[in-house]
Structures are given as C-alpha cells and as structure tokens.
Amino acid sequence: MPIATVRGMTMDCADPRALARFYQELTGMALSYDADEFVALTAGSGCDLGFQRVDGYRAPQWPGQDVPQQFHLDLRVEDLDAAEKQALELGAVRPDHQPGGDRWRVLLDPAGHPFCLAAG
C-alpha cells in the first residue's frame, strides 16, 4: 500500500495568474484557488497544477542547463499539429531543439518552462 499519492505540482514563476491563464486555456482545467502569490487549477483528477510567485524568478534555459529546466509536463493530445498551433497562439514558444521527431513536440510556456505535447 502506498504511503502517499500525488496531489499536485507547483511551478515557480514571476506572475502566477498569467501562467495559470496559459495552462487553463491549454488544458481546460478550472480555477480552484486565486491569490496574489499562488494560483491553482484543477480538473477533478486529484492532481492539481499550482503556480507560485518567486521574486527574482529565472526562466529555465532549455535544452541548456545553465538554469535547469526544473521539471516539465507531458501533455497527451489527439492531433499534434493542431495542439501545437493552438499552444503557440496562447503564447507558447517552439524552441529549435526538437528531440522527439514526429512523436512529441517540446514547447516553452510563457514563463520559460519546457513542456511536451505527445500524440496519443
């Protein structure tokens, strides 16, 4: 029997509300908590996404490790090309380095965190 289950993940950023809006539009998750220093989204799956303000936040430098990526999200999508287009319209950036070929795409959120869109 496990000792714990994953309740959520929290990302450091300079502007929690702006980053939460990006992920809310990208995933369809609902706003569950909203304060100046912390914002949370939920989908009812038991694993929420949180966004916390960090003074002096430095964006990851992917694929380099001068400022490590810290972590990244893998998001399943039906249509890889369509999902990438929509994410870019929401403010994501597509870096040149794309190690996934046709299997996945690496994008950067507005705060610089890498995330992957994976078909399937």
Side-chain angles (χ1 to χ4, degrees), residues 88-103:
L88 293 171
E89 289 170 356
L90 292 171
V93 174
R94 187 178 199 265
D96 291 334
H97 183 63
Q98 291 293 319
D102 293 334
R103 297 177 299 165

Side-chain angles (χ1 to χ4, degrees), residues 8 11 17 23 34 58 64 66 78 80 88 91 97 100 112-113 119:
M11 294 184 211
R17 286 187 176 116
Y23 279 102
D34 184 2
R58 293 177 54 207
D66 291 335
E78 294 296 320
L80 194 54
L88 293 171
H97 183 63
H113 302 106

Side-chain angles (χ1 to χ4, degrees), residues 26 72-84 87 98 100-107 115-120:
L26 187 66
H72 73 264
L73 295 174
D74 292 322
L75 303 172
R76 182 176 297 129
V77 299
E78 294 296 320
D79 182 323
L80 194 54
D81 292 329
E84 177 183 14
Q98 291 293 319
D102 293 334
R103 297 177 299 165
W104 74 83
R105 307 273 166 73
V106 178
L107 300 177
F115 67 96
C116 293
L117 301 176

Side-chain angles (χ1 to χ4, degrees), residues 35-56:
D36 290 339
E37 300 300 315
F38 183 82
V39 177
L41 301 176
T42 189
S45 66
C47 187
D48 299 342
L49 284 179
F51 309 91
Q52 68 184 359
R53 180 181 316 278
V54 171
D55 293 332

